[in-house]
């Protein structure tokens, strides 16, 4: 079990998982396989869950957090928010893809009106959000970091 007083292993895992998820989003098939997209939503929710567990662990360790502890907690909350936003963007992509597929299947003519933004736009937004997470996990940026 990792040392709960040292957030570095958890933050390293979050940064690594965010990078892997980013690569997975870039590799999604052009037809936007719904099950692959749903799996990526679960991955983003897992990232948020890990960050929130770290927040709970760290916030319970001291009754009077230092400024450095508060900075760490703030970063962890930002990571959780970014991961939740990634999950929301991917959920919107999935909903849009399914709706557009439904419209195509129900079309009685060749002209189908698809709604936008496209699933790809939501996926790109999620990838942009993921790009922020590794920087938030970088303990070297924190003054007097307990992680060094």
């Amino acid at each position: 079990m990792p040392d709960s007083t040292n957030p570095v292993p958890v933050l390293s895992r979050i940064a690594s998982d965010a990078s892997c998820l980013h690569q997975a989003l870039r590799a999604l098939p052009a037809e936007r396989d719904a099950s692959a997209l749903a799996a990526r939503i679960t991955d983003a929710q897992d990232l948020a869950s890990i960050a929130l567990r770290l927040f709970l662990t760290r916030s319970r360790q001291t009754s009077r957090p230092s400024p450095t502890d508060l900075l760490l907690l703030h970063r962890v909350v930002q990571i959780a928010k970014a991961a939740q936003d990634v999950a929301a963007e991917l959920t919107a992509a999935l909903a849009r893809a399914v709706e557009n597929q439904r419209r195509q299947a129900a079309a009685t003519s060749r002209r189908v009106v698809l709604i936008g933004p496209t699933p790809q736009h939501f996926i790109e937004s999620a990838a942009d959000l993921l790009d922020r997470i590794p920087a938030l996990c970088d303990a070297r940026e924190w003054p007097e970091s307990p992680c060094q």
Side-chain angles (χ1 to χ4, degrees), residues 3-8 10-11 14 46-63 65-81 84 137 142:
D3 177 9
S4 63
T5 61
N6 183 357
V8 172
V10 178
L11 291 172
I14 290 170
D46 289 345
L47 277 177
S49 178
I50 292 166
L52 291 170
R53 281 194 304 272
L54 176 59
F55 178 86
L56 288 173
T57 300
R58 293 295 295 191
S59 65
R60 291 176 180 156
Q61 287 177 345
T62 178
S63 60
S66 70
T68 302
D69 290 330
L70 291 173
L71 178 59
L72 173 64
L73 291 173
H74 178 72
R75 289 275 181 103
V76 171
V77 168
Q78 288 178 313
I79 292 164
K81 172 81 168 84
Q84 288 174 335
C137 294
W142 305 338

Side-chain angles (χ1 to χ4, degrees), residues 103-110:
R103 286 173 178 242
Q104 288 173 331
T108 56
S109 69
R110 289 205 179 282

Side-chain angles (χ1 to χ4, degrees), residues 98-116:
V98 169
E99 173 61 18
N100 284 339
Q101 287 175 348
R102 187 196 65 76
R103 286 173 178 242
Q104 288 173 331
T108 56
S109 69
R110 289 205 179 282
R111 188 161 194 258
V112 178
V113 177
L114 301 179
I115 54 176

